[in-house]
Amino acid sequence: MTDVKFPVFDIHSSEAFEKMALEIYRYQLRENAVYQQYCQLINKTQASRLEEIPFLPIQFFKSHTVVSDKRPVKITFTSSGTTGSVVSKHVVTDLDVYNQSLDHSFKKTYGEIKDYVVLALLPHYLDRTGSSLVYMAQRWINASQRVESGFYLNDLAALSKVLKSFENSHQKVILIGVTFALLQLAEEYAMPLDHVIIIETGGMKGMRKEIVKPELHHILKTAFTEASIQSEYGMTELLSQAYASDGINFTTPPWMKVSTRDTNDPLSGIEDGKTGGLNIIDLANYNSCSFIATQDLGKSFTDGSFQVLGRFDHSDIRGCNLMAVN
């Protein structure tokens, strides 16, 4: 992991966040044709405060190329979607920004990556190209520099053997996986997992009936006693992630902020603690669009944390984090 930082990763205060957000807003309003046209259509082309910045509906990542600079595209991340559905495309012209976002976010949340063995259980995501989740897991695996780290596509027996090999050690382990695969592992290979952090990323992929998060976490905690069951919130359209150490209440890195909007008036925000559509500012997204109105329903809180309660009924099914909290 590199020690070189991009300016957005040096943010340490709300004042610095607002200043940087307004700078990026003005830049994207000027250079991002899709965002510019949207802001013109809703007559919001000036902002002097954070609350005045408009959010681009996430659906535009399906119908348009959302980009803010003219450099060559380094990689295109695509959503998993469902058979026959239109997928989101996030073109990235500066891959170092995503790398930095992953590295700094991991360190702020979990500490040094070299202290962990990283195991990834991401079937279906590995079967296709363009998954930002697979890219993230691969970077973690490489940075851990441990021979035990790796992907376990459908080989649950091999994964359980690796997990058991650390049963009597103090080696810290991260197991990141999609919901349906973690549930299968819980059913077939329940075991105590001391010193193991299980990070579920959501996603049933039509393999199982959707269940609420408390039920999922109860199943995982029962099967993997002693393990810490946590959650990750991320999506194709973002270059940053949020994590919930308790599986429910997500916290963001300093360059990311989540707020809520009125479900009946999408251009109006609502106060913290009330259920609404989730709006996300991800300053790492400066080469695409940093201001996104998602199709997720949730609550934001004054301490900067947020919850995901579900999704809008008319939204397409995404591959990650679509489970309801209750």
Side-chain angles (χ1 to χ4, degrees):
M1 293 187 180
T2 177
D3 291 329
V4 177
K5 283 187 179 181
F6 290 88
V8 297
F9 305 124
D10 280 324
I11 292 173
H12 297 294
S13 68
S14 57
E15 293 79 12
F17 182 93
E18 180 164 13
K19 180 180 179 182
M20 183 70 70
L22 288 167
E23 289 178 2
I24 291 176
Y25 158 73
R26 287 188 283 268
Y27 166 71
Q28 293 181 343
L29 184 64
R30 183 178 69 251
E31 301 295 336
N32 186 322
V34 175
Y35 187 56
Q36 180 187 83
Q37 186 174 9
Y38 175 73
C39 291
Q40 289 173 344
L41 286 171
I42 63 172
N43 196 27
K44 288 185 176 291
T45 56
Q46 291 184 346
S48 58
R49 297 184 300 114
L50 194 65
E51 294 78 13
E52 297 171 348
I53 296 175
F55 291 85
L56 183 74
I58 200 168
Q59 297 95 318
F60 280 97
F61 282 85
K62 292 184 177 182
S63 57
H64 295 73
T65 299
V66 182
V67 65
S68 294
D69 69 53
K70 297 178 176 60
R71 288 177 293 175
V73 175
K74 295 293 182 66
I75 193 170
T76 300
F77 291 124
T78 57
S79 60
S80 53
T82 56
T83 303
S85 66
V86 179
V87 299
S88 288
K89 302 181 298 296
H90 188 180
V91 298
V92 179
T93 59
D94 191 344
L95 195 52
D96 284 343
V97 177
Y98 188 38
N99 292 338
Q100 289 290 298
S101 179
L102 295 176
D103 295 352
H104 294 306
S105 188
F106 185 95
K107 188 170 184 178
K108 286 177 179 293
T109 307
Y110 297 109
E112 296 293 338
I113 184 69
K114 292 181 181 179
D115 293 337
Y116 293 88
V117 168
V118 178
L119 311 174
L121 187 57
L122 304 173
H124 288 285
Y125 289 83
L126 281 170
D127 295 338
R128 65 180 184 84
T129 59
S131 168
S132 57
L133 178 59
V134 169
Y135 185 97
M136 179 179 78
Q138 185 66 71
R139 187 164 181 84
W140 286 5
I141 289 166
N142 293 345
S144 73
Q145 299 182 4
R146 294 294 299 264
V147 295
E148 302 94 336
S149 296
F151 288 98
Y152 292 81
L153 183 56
N154 292 302
D155 197 347
L156 299 184
L159 176 57
S160 66
K161 182 180 288 188
V162 172
L163 288 168
K164 284 181 180 178
S165 71
F166 295 112
E167 189 173 352
N168 297 316
S169 75
H170 291 281
Q171 172 61 50
K172 294 192 288 187
V173 178
I174 283 179
L175 169 59
I176 182 169
V178 290
T179 300
F180 75 87
L182 289 174
L183 285 172
Q184 185 178 355
L185 182 68
E187 291 168 355
E188 299 180 16
Y189 296 97
M191 68 186 86
L193 292 178
D194 197 15
H195 306 295
V196 175
I197 297 173
I198 297 178
I199 304 175
E200 57 89 4
T201 68
M204 285 298 195
K205 292 292 295 176
M207 303 293 290
R208 290 170 178 253
K209 181 182 178 181
E210 294 267 358
I211 61 175
V212 295
K213 273 188 181 291
E215 182 182 354
L216 166 65
H217 286 216
H218 174 72
I219 293 171
L220 296 180
K221 288 176 181 177
T222 301
F224 306 119
T225 56
E226 309 302 325
S228 174
I229 311 300
Q230 304 187 14
S231 298
E232 179 256 0
Y233 180 86
M235 59 182 68
T236 299
E237 300 85 356
L238 301 177
L239 293 186
S240 300
Q241 302 76 36
Y243 296 94
S245 60
D246 63 356
I248 301 296
N249 296 287
F250 291 93
T251 58
T252 62
W255 56 89
M256 182 180 179
K257 181 178 176 61
V258 177
S259 58
T260 45
R261 67 181 185 275
D262 192 323
T263 55
N264 296 314
D265 180 6
L267 300 182
S268 297
I270 59 174
E271 61 188 68
D272 290 324
K274 291 189 175 182
T275 300
L278 293 182
N279 286 345
I280 296 178
I281 299 178
D282 180 6
L283 298 185
N285 264 24
Y286 71 79
N287 89 153
S288 55
C289 183
S290 291
F291 314 99
I292 298 175
T294 77
Q295 284 293 304
D296 290 328
L297 287 168
K299 296 179 180 180
S300 58
F301 302 98
T302 55
D303 64 357
S305 65
F306 69 98
Q307 295 178 356
V308 182
L309 303 178
R311 61 175 176 270
F312 286 87
D313 290 339
H314 61 272
S315 66
D316 292 339
I317 295 176
R318 281 195 289 108
C320 294
N321 262 318
L322 293 179
M323 293 182 300
V325 172
N326 50 36

